[in-house]
Amino acid sequence: PNAGEEIVCTFNNSRDTGDLQVQKVVDDQSDLSQWRFSLDDGEWVNADADGIVDFGQVTTLDEHTIVEDGPAGYHLISIGGNCSPDGDAANATVVKGKTTICTFTNARDRGTVTGSKWNDLNGDGRWAENESGLGGWTIELRNDNDGQPGSLVESTTTASGESLGSYSFSDVPTGNYFVCEVNQAGWNQTAPLNQTGNCRPVALTSDGETVPNQNFGNKAIPPRLSLSKSNDAGGDRTPGGSVTFTLTLTVADNGVTDAKVIDLPAKGFKYRPGSWKVKIGGLPVFFVDEPVYASPGTWDLGDLQEGDIVELTYIADIDSTQTPGLYNDLAWANGQAVGGPVTAVGSDGAFVGTQ
């Protein structure tokens, strides 16, 4: 420098900075662009579809605060990565030349729906103490389609054993649903009865909520048994001859279990072993054992379905010492239903017969 010359020295400095990013994680979403974030009370920035927000270069000197905003029905599980949680916010300190990533993890708000299926013996739609649950029934959880049951979400089966008739849908995302039963043949639903397919509307509004007592009642339709008996005599028969008898049992309205036909031939008429035949709906069946005739004879028919028409035939031999006369025989039938025993009805009441 020359004598008397002024020299100026300039020092240029810049703030230390680093890159600050947010990674959004949600348990049931693939498109995360509905979520947005604010840095230090600044403008909201939407995440991209992969849940990433890049705030760019920020200073290292200060601690930065990030908050999130997103769709309803979710709750914050954790804040992690290179950030520390501060309530629902994340605190981040950026390192010069480094990328700091804050991770926000959210989960769907979920709840539980519970109820039971019961045998409404008196059909009044109210569950009484003497009415038990019903196991093995299908219960469906369906979406709400504009106030009506919509698409199926999931289904379950009511329990057997100690919790007879109970069911539960757990881990259900919050929202509006319908719970419906799948009715079974031979039953009428008694509760609920409404304009939404006899389903129950359910609203889950908060995480961890349980909506209980979504119950369904059904009453069994009583079966009707009718019995008739005929023979092929067509007139007088002689001692030492034979007669073919036909018993017809009709099942209507509902099925029965442990169905039996009891037949009492007239004195002097003896069942011929091996002469028996059984048809249901006009077709021979072979799951019925030969009846045992020990005054009276019993036909064990087992379980019968609604609409079954059972035809039983056998030959009775007439004793060679039988004296001329008019001989009456009798038959009756019964079975078991959900509501208790059922007795067949003939043209003259519970007993039918021929002469």
Side-chain angles (χ1 to χ4, degrees):
N2 298 318
E5 182 180 358
E6 183 179 328
I7 298 174
V8 178
C9 295
T10 303
F11 290 80
N12 291 320
N13 291 70
S14 63
R15 290 291 301 269
D16 291 342
T17 62
D19 190 41
L20 179 59
Q21 295 182 4
V22 170
Q23 174 66 67
K24 183 67 195 168
V25 178
V26 183
D27 65 349
D28 69 344
Q29 285 186 332
S30 56
D31 183 359
L32 300 174
S33 59
Q34 301 177 68
W35 296 86
R36 60 181 187 166
F37 297 85
S38 173
L39 173 64
D40 297 331
D41 294 325
E43 293 184 356
W44 291 101
V45 180
N46 281 79
D48 64 18
D50 295 324
I52 296 174
V53 172
D54 192 341
F55 287 109
Q57 296 296 308
V58 298
T59 61
T60 60
L61 181 62
D62 303 315
E63 186 176 64
H64 300 280
T65 301
I66 304 172
V67 294
E68 73 169 3
D69 181 55
Y74 293 84
H75 61 279
L76 184 64
I77 295 177
S78 66
I79 293 173
N82 305 123
C83 297
S84 59
D86 183 9
D88 289 339
N91 291 331
T93 300
V94 176
V95 178
K96 179 183 176 181
K98 302 292 185 180
T99 297
T100 299
I101 299 176
C102 296
T103 303
F104 286 73
T105 302
N106 289 60
R108 191 75 157 87
D109 294 344
R110 298 176 184 273
T112 301
V113 180
T114 65
S116 293
K117 174 83 199 143
W118 92 91
N119 183 6
D120 191 2
L121 294 175
N122 59 10
D124 67 352
R126 294 188 293 272
W127 196 351
E129 290 186 2
N130 67 320
E131 295 172 338
S132 64
L134 291 171
W137 285 65
T138 299
I139 306 295
E140 296 180 336
L141 181 69
R142 292 186 169 271
N143 285 311
D144 185 330
N145 182 19
D146 196 21
Q148 294 293 323
S151 58
L152 178 66
V153 177
E154 61 177 306
S155 64
T156 189
T157 303
T158 57
S160 301
E162 185 175 349
S163 301
L164 184 63
S166 65
Y167 73 89
S168 176
F169 294 106
S170 59
D171 203 31
V172 179
T174 52
N176 295 323
Y177 300 91
F178 282 91
V179 181
C180 310
E181 72 164 24
V182 178
N183 202 1
Q184 296 184 7
W187 294 80
N188 285 328
Q189 186 174 340
T190 60
L193 299 176
N194 53 41
Q195 300 302 311
T196 57
N198 296 337
C199 299
R200 290 192 178 277
V202 173
L204 286 170
T205 59
S206 60
D207 188 56
E209 179 183 10
T210 296
V211 179
N213 301 320
Q214 301 304 299
N215 301 329
F216 295 86
N218 285 67
K219 185 179 188 300
I221 301 171
R224 289 185 299 114
L225 300 179
S226 59
L227 181 66
S228 63
K229 185 176 182 180
S230 62
N231 64 48
D232 69 344
D236 295 338
R237 291 293 174 98
T238 59
S242 65
V243 179
T244 298
F245 289 94
T246 300
L247 295 145
T248 303
L249 179 67
T250 302
V251 184
D253 296 338
N254 207 344
V256 294
T257 61
D258 194 27
K260 299 180 186 297
V261 173
I262 299 92
D263 180 52
L264 182 62
K267 184 177 180 180
F269 290 73
K270 186 178 181 180
Y271 168 76
R272 181 188 296 178
S275 67
W276 63 289
K277 294 180 181 179
V278 179
K279 293 181 179 180
I280 297 180
L283 300 175
V285 297
F286 305 100
F287 58 82
V288 176
D289 293 331
E290 182 170 8
V292 177
Y293 272 82
S295 189
T298 300
W299 300 69
D300 286 313
L301 304 178
D303 298 345
L304 298 175
Q305 305 299 315
E306 176 189 2
D308 281 349
I309 299 175
V310 184
E311 183 181 273
L312 314 173
T313 60
Y314 70 94
I315 297 173
D317 294 313
I318 306 171
D319 193 283
S320 60
T321 62
Q322 195 84 338
T323 58
L326 189 63
Y327 292 89
N328 296 316
D329 52 72
L330 289 176
W332 62 96
N334 55 52
Q336 297 293 322
V338 173
V342 181
T343 301
V345 176
S347 57
D348 295 319
F351 299 98
V352 298
T354 65
Q355 294 180 331

